[in-house]
Amino acid sequence: MSDQSAIPAAPDIEGLRAGLNPSQQEAVFHEDGPLLVLAGAGSGKTRVLTFRIAFLVGAELARPHEVLAITFTNKAAGEMKERVAALVGPIARTMWVSTFHSACARILRREAELLGYRSSFSIYDQQDQVRLVKHCLEELNLDCKRFPPQAIHGRISDAKNRLVGPSSLGQDDEALAVPGLTRRPSSNLEVAGSVYDLYQRHLFAANAMDFDDLIMRTVDLFTRFPHRLDQYRQAFRYVLVDEYQDTNHAQYMLVKLLAEHHGQVTVVGDDDQSVYSWRGADIRNILEFEKDFPAAKVVKLEQNYRSTTTILEAANAVVAHNRGRKPKHLWSDLGEGEVISVLECRDEHEEARLVAGEIERLIKSGRDPREIAVFYRVNAQSRVLEDILVRYGIPYQVVGGTRFYERAEIKDALAYLRSVVNPSDDISFTRILNSPKRGLGTVAKERLRVFAEMERSSIRAALRSEEQVPGLTPAAAKALEELAGKYAIWEERAERSGSSTVPVAEQVKSILEESGLLETLRGERTLEAEGRLENLHELLGVATEFDRNNPEGTLADFLQEISLYADIDAYREGEAQVTLMTLHNAKGLEFPVVFIVGMEEGIFPHSRSLDDQSLEEERRLFYVGVTRTMQKLHLSYARSRSLYGVGAYCLASRFLDELPRALINRRSTASAGRPTLDRRSGMGSSRWSTGERDGAEGPGGQGYERKGRKFEPQAGRPPTVTDADAIEPGGFRTGDRVTHTKFGEGMVLGVEPGGVIRVFFTDLGEQKSLLAEYAPMKRV
């Protein structure tokens, strides 16, 4: 412990004050009691945190080692330490400025023996954890295909983040806690409970903890040993937490245990930027801070130093529709700025071309590509954008992710396709030999390679040999035989493609299914696996598009065409590039020019987010995207879109309805004289086209054709909704938002003869025709 003489001379308080606005000063110079800083986007929260630490130390309210400052990433912690050191000097090295996990690991190294561990305990990484879960499943005689280790590990991790132990997770846990049961668990929850218990036993026996244990065990330490908690409360006289809206329950409990006694806690965050509930973040932690600390002072940082007034007014208007929030109003003195562009496109290809064209114009006019970003809701949306940017010769990077054709699941799928077309491609074949896992690991791969050398053939060709590969286990030999049989079928289909009867898309779909790639990912039931599934379905969409444009094309032609987009040799490291990323990855960044694409119901907001709580998080995600913009924001949506291999007509996102009309410029690429899709809601009607209407064009009019007693959109033409559709059977009106007991939430698109109404259901991502008089449906 440092003594009082170790405290450096106080920094220039007036100098600190001069660099802060009035609200920031109120937060920085708060001396006593709990403090909640609601820091709006771009309002200088990091500056407030670092200046506050400098004030606490410089004003001798705390010694440096008595300050515990918590942030979420090692990078952020390092940057904060550097900024504090610049204010208070080298003494900053004695402060506890770190992530939750680093601080807890440091505490547990000191206190391990109290929990039965040695201080040299290991910390298992993600791969170690999943490997141990797999071992536990095997020990319990459970099928790893039916209960994928990755999925079970996800349940265990989620339980630890909620401070839930094994006995509280599974059902009938007393009967399932140990091996040798009379009844084996059957559901995922039961399996997770029994594996969780065995997993923890193995961790303890190995003197190891996983990443989630670091926080859970620290909370356990403080709960079971109050005298140690008291010592750490005295040691950390001031606790400061950044990004408090992203804390989960375990992190919340840790902060509460350390700070509830002395109340010297500062939390900084923005409830309007809470977008990680799927990681366990609980927005209630920041919304209910004043319940936990009734004496808390609340300071709102509302002056934004990043964006123009137009951008901020749009963000304010949208997020105001959320009920679960603390009101705040961002403002800026950077000027009014440009209006927001809202562009309606015919489909995703036109959207990508127009975005690329505008980016090309900006770069030619002198804009640095690094100042431009394109955001999207799901990773699979990047594929069409990447294709078009390559064609335009615009350099780009995918941040927080991987280029579409470089993603592991896409490379696996392409390796299957290439090794079907080219049996001599050993690199592709060996890549997928054990992907998904089929018992053909490193040893089997090496023995197969040696056998191929003896046969003077490629490894793929060696599968056709009548001789058995020596040295393989019976299980490996059987797996190899099954794989050889599949390749024989795939090769026969490939030979019949083109002018024959097997389209490329059908071949791709068969290989994805029969190889086990799709089945394995479906079984994992995690968000990561779901994203990979979406990417594979998007690859199937690429193949479908290829068939449409190349009726005589073969699988080899398809691989040749997409090789253009997979080739990244033209991009030099360090070159100025346009940034592509998901909206989740955009948090914390800023760009002068931002494009947000795919503003459609079912995509953004996502079809999984139709309940009120999830919809509010989707709206917060849109707020995050908008507030990354410094100068110019472009929003776009398509009237029809093919995603994951499925085409559908689209409705403009409800978030576009929530933008003030005075702040946006609406444009449409619809053909002259052709009406565009309207959206109407309880907020009033909005038309995303400035083109003139030719009069009423309801069912049977332009863009429709009769099929029996129904009217359906003509091939290649999206539906139109007009005032002629206003009155419908059952009391529904065009534009009504409705809910169906089976199909979920949707919007009425129009009427057909005979009392039939057309409804687009966002959860299904498709349109259905229903008898209004009998459909179990009502307005919402």
Side-chain angles (χ1 to χ4, degrees):
M1 298 287 181
S2 303
D3 56 25
Q4 184 68 32
S5 62
I7 299 179
D12 179 7
I13 299 298
E14 289 308 310
L16 292 179
R17 193 180 302 276
L20 302 168
N21 66 40
S23 296
Q24 291 174 332
Q25 291 178 23
E26 189 178 3
V28 167
F29 301 119
H30 174 70
E31 292 193 5
D32 187 58
L35 172 66
L36 169 62
V37 181
L38 293 173
S43 61
K45 70 176 181 63
T46 304
R47 187 177 186 83
V48 166
L49 263 176
T50 53
F51 275 45
R52 177 155 177 74
I53 294 172
F55 167 71
L56 293 174
V57 174
E60 301 188 2
L61 295 174
R63 296 180 174 90
H65 64 267
E66 293 175 331
V67 174
L68 172 63
I70 299 291
T71 186
F72 270 79
T73 67
N74 289 315
K75 180 181 178 183
E79 291 176 352
M80 187 180 296
K81 241 180 179 177
E82 289 178 5
R83 294 176 70 165
V84 172
L87 295 171
V88 302
I91 197 68
R93 289 195 298 266
T94 65
M95 296 179 182
W96 284 55
V97 181
S98 65
T99 65
F100 273 103
H101 294 94
S102 296
C104 288
R106 189 172 171 183
I107 291 170
L108 290 173
R109 293 289 182 198
R110 297 177 175 180
E111 313 293 344
E113 291 184 2
L114 289 174
L115 297 175
Y117 287 84
R118 297 185 298 279
S119 60
S120 60
F121 62 83
S122 301
I123 300 175
Y124 280 9
D125 63 19
Q126 178 84 4
Q127 289 186 339
D128 294 331
Q129 294 166 36
V130 174
R131 191 179 299 115
L132 180 55
V133 168
K134 183 176 184 293
H135 174 75
C136 292
L137 285 163
E138 292 169 346
E139 190 172 333
L140 290 168
N141 297 316
L142 294 167
D143 186 359
C144 290
K145 290 185 177 179
R146 183 181 177 192
F147 304 107
Q150 188 80 28
I152 299 301
H153 171 261
R155 283 188 176 272
I156 293 172
S157 177
D158 177 68
K160 290 185 177 184
N161 288 333
R162 293 184 287 114
L163 300 179
V164 173
S167 62
S168 302
L169 178 62
Q171 300 173 353
D172 194 14
D173 291 287
E174 290 183 0
L176 298 172
V178 295
L181 310 175
T182 56
R183 183 177 74 84
R184 293 172 58 204
S186 57
S187 72
N188 275 354
L189 193 61
E190 287 181 321
V191 168
S194 57
V195 172
Y196 186 1
D197 181 82
L198 186 58
Y199 174 82
Q200 289 302 110
R201 292 170 186 265
H202 280 302
L203 280 176
F204 187 77
N207 191 40
M209 298 186 194
D210 65 18
F211 211 54
D212 301 310
D213 276 330
L214 296 176
I215 299 177
M216 188 178 186
R217 290 298 191 189
T218 304
V219 172
D220 187 33
L221 169 75
F222 290 158
T223 304
R224 294 171 57 187
F225 302 97
H227 68 286
R228 300 306 295 148
L229 173 60
D230 287 341
Q231 291 183 28
Y232 280 96
R233 282 173 172 169
Q234 294 173 21
F236 300 133
R237 292 182 54 202
Y238 284 86
V239 178
L240 301 93
V241 185
D242 192 13
E243 303 286 5
Y244 193 65
Q245 78 280 352
D246 292 333
T247 53
N248 59 35
H249 181 67
Q251 293 161 339
Y252 157 80
M253 282 302 301
L254 180 66
V255 173
K256 186 177 180 184
L257 285 169
L258 285 171
E260 65 182 346
H261 181 67
H262 55 61
Q264 303 298 345
V265 56
T266 298
V267 299
V268 181
D270 182 6
D271 51 300
D272 288 334
Q273 296 186 70
S274 178
V275 295
Y276 293 123
S277 65
W278 49 278
R279 290 183 181 172
D282 191 342
I283 193 174
R284 293 175 299 178
N285 295 346
I286 192 168
L287 293 179
E288 298 177 5
F289 180 80
E290 294 150 279
K291 291 183 180 179
D292 296 321
F293 298 92
K297 179 181 182 64
V298 180
V299 177
K300 295 181 182 181
L301 304 182
E302 297 173 297
Q303 182 176 359
N304 177 283
Y305 294 92
R306 172 190 300 153
S307 308
T308 63
T309 298
T310 295
I311 300 298
L312 297 180
E313 287 301 321
N316 289 331
V318 171
V319 80
H321 286 79
N322 279 359
R323 291 172 292 180
R325 66 184 294 262
K326 290 181 175 292
K328 66 182 76 67
H329 190 89
L330 296 182
W331 61 275
S332 170
D333 58 9
L334 297 179
E336 184 176 347
E338 297 184 61
V339 296
I340 298 168
S341 297
V342 177
L343 179 64
E344 178 193 64
C345 309
R346 280 184 285 270
D347 56 31
E348 73 275 16
H349 300 284
E350 182 176 66
E351 179 184 55
R353 286 194 300 272
L354 292 171
V355 168
E358 178 62 15
I359 291 174
E360 183 180 50
R361 185 191 68 78
L362 289 169
I363 293 173
K364 287 181 177 179
S365 67
R367 177 74 71 176
D368 189 323
R370 287 170 290 198
E371 297 180 344
I372 304 170
V374 184
F375 302 155
Y376 36 82
R377 177 62 180 83
V378 294
N379 275 310
Q381 287 177 262
S382 77
R383 196 271 305 173
V384 176
L385 288 164
E386 291 184 58
D387 290 356
I388 299 299
L389 289 174
V390 168
R391 293 183 183 182
Y392 274 67
I394 298 173
Y396 71 93
Q397 61 175 332
V398 179
V399 174
T402 311
R403 295 175 187 268
F404 182 79
Y405 290 107
E406 293 177 52
R407 291 167 185 155
E409 62 276 10
I410 299 300
K411 291 176 75 71
D412 284 347
L414 293 179
Y416 271 104
L417 301 180
R418 291 187 180 115
S419 56
V420 167
V421 170
N422 179 15
S424 298
D425 187 351
D426 282 348
I427 291 180
S428 292
F429 180 68
T430 53
R431 176 184 177 89
I432 55 80
L433 188 61
N434 200 41
S435 180
K437 297 186 184 301
R438 51 172 65 92
L440 297 172
T442 305
V443 174
K445 187 181 297 185
E446 178 61 20
R447 288 176 177 169
L448 186 58
R449 184 191 64 79
V450 172
F451 179 73
E453 288 181 356
M454 293 172 57
E455 292 285 308
R456 297 179 182 274
S457 69
S458 68
I459 297 177
R460 265 278 290 110
L463 291 183
R464 300 171 180 167
S465 173
E466 295 182 0
E467 296 184 32
Q468 186 173 357
V469 179
L472 292 182
T473 65
K478 182 180 179 182
L480 201 59
E481 182 181 354
E482 291 176 353
L483 185 60
K486 290 176 181 177
Y487 265 97
I489 295 172
W490 297 336
E491 287 175 343
E492 192 271 337
R493 288 177 185 154
E495 291 171 357
R496 291 193 292 116
S497 63
S499 59
S500 188
T501 59
V502 187
V504 170
E506 184 178 325
Q507 294 183 69
V508 174
K509 182 178 181 181
S510 297
I511 291 173
L512 292 178
E513 289 283 3
E514 294 165 10
S515 66
L517 286 175
L518 294 180
E519 180 185 1
T520 300
L521 290 172
R522 290 184 190 123
E524 289 187 13
R525 299 182 182 179
T526 64
L527 283 173
E528 181 183 6
E530 187 173 327
R532 291 181 174 179
L533 272 173
E534 290 173 347
N535 290 334
L536 289 175
H537 285 302
E538 180 64 14
L539 179 65
L540 182 59
V542 178
T544 302
E545 183 181 319
F546 173 82
D547 283 332
R548 186 165 56 246
N549 298 329
N550 305 274
E552 304 295 319
T554 65
L555 184 57
D557 296 333
F558 172 66
L559 290 171
Q560 179 177 321
E561 178 170 303
I562 65 174
S563 66
L564 166 68
Y565 308 120
D567 181 11
I568 62 166
D569 294 338
Y571 297 107
R572 299 186 300 273
E573 187 175 352
E575 182 180 0
Q577 298 173 326
V578 173
T579 299
L580 273 60
M581 66 175 69
T582 64
L583 283 145
H584 281 100
N585 285 322
K587 191 168 178 289
L589 302 176
E590 59 184 34
F591 299 89
V593 181
V594 167
F595 295 81
I596 303 180
V597 299
M599 294 293 302
E600 298 134 33
E601 290 289 297
I603 294 180
F604 196 29
H606 199 281
S607 58
R608 293 192 303 264
S609 309
L610 295 180
D611 61 272
D612 288 342
Q613 184 175 351
S614 296
L615 182 59
E616 291 209 349
E617 180 157 331
E618 289 287 291
R619 187 176 283 111
R620 293 195 293 269
L621 188 58
F622 181 51
Y623 171 87
V624 166
V626 171
T627 54
R628 300 311 93 194
T629 312
M630 300 170 70
Q631 299 168 7
K632 178 63 177 181
L633 176 62
H634 299 265
L635 306 174
S636 61
Y637 69 97
R639 294 166 60 186
S640 66
R641 182 180 297 274
S642 178
L643 193 61
Y644 318 135
V646 178
Y649 296 114
C650 306
L651 294 175
S653 170
R654 68 190 72 192
F655 300 151
L656 296 176
D657 281 332
E658 298 168 0
L659 292 168
R661 296 190 184 184
L663 302 180
I664 61 177
N665 174 34
R666 300 187 296 269
R667 294 185 296 136
S668 173
T669 61
S671 302
R674 187 194 219 173
T676 61
L677 186 65
D678 292 348
R679 279 185 53 86
R680 295 179 192 153
S681 66
M683 300 299 295
S685 173
S686 62
R687 308 194 188 280
W688 304 102
S689 171
T690 55
E692 295 184 1
R693 303 175 63 88
D694 275 2
E697 292 183 8
Q702 183 179 3
Y704 286 82
E705 58 186 352
R706 178 185 281 276
K707 290 189 177 180
R709 62 187 295 273
K710 297 182 179 181
F711 289 89
E712 298 183 0
Q714 295 174 358
R717 305 187 70 177
T720 59
V721 180
T722 70
D723 292 336
D725 300 322
I727 301 175
E728 288 148 14
F732 295 108
R733 298 174 63 88
T734 297
D736 279 348
R737 191 170 297 283
V738 297
T739 182
H740 191 284
T741 56
K742 179 179 179 181
F743 303 134
E745 187 175 337
M747 178 174 284
V748 177
L749 295 182
V751 64
E752 297 175 358
V756 176
I757 60 173
R758 292 178 291 104
V759 182
F760 178 85
F761 291 101
T762 51
D763 199 23
L764 293 176
E766 63 183 62
Q767 182 182 151
K768 287 187 176 292
S769 296
L770 306 170
L771 285 170
E773 189 175 353
Y774 302 105
M777 185 170 62
K778 62 181 181 180
R779 290 190 187 89
V780 293

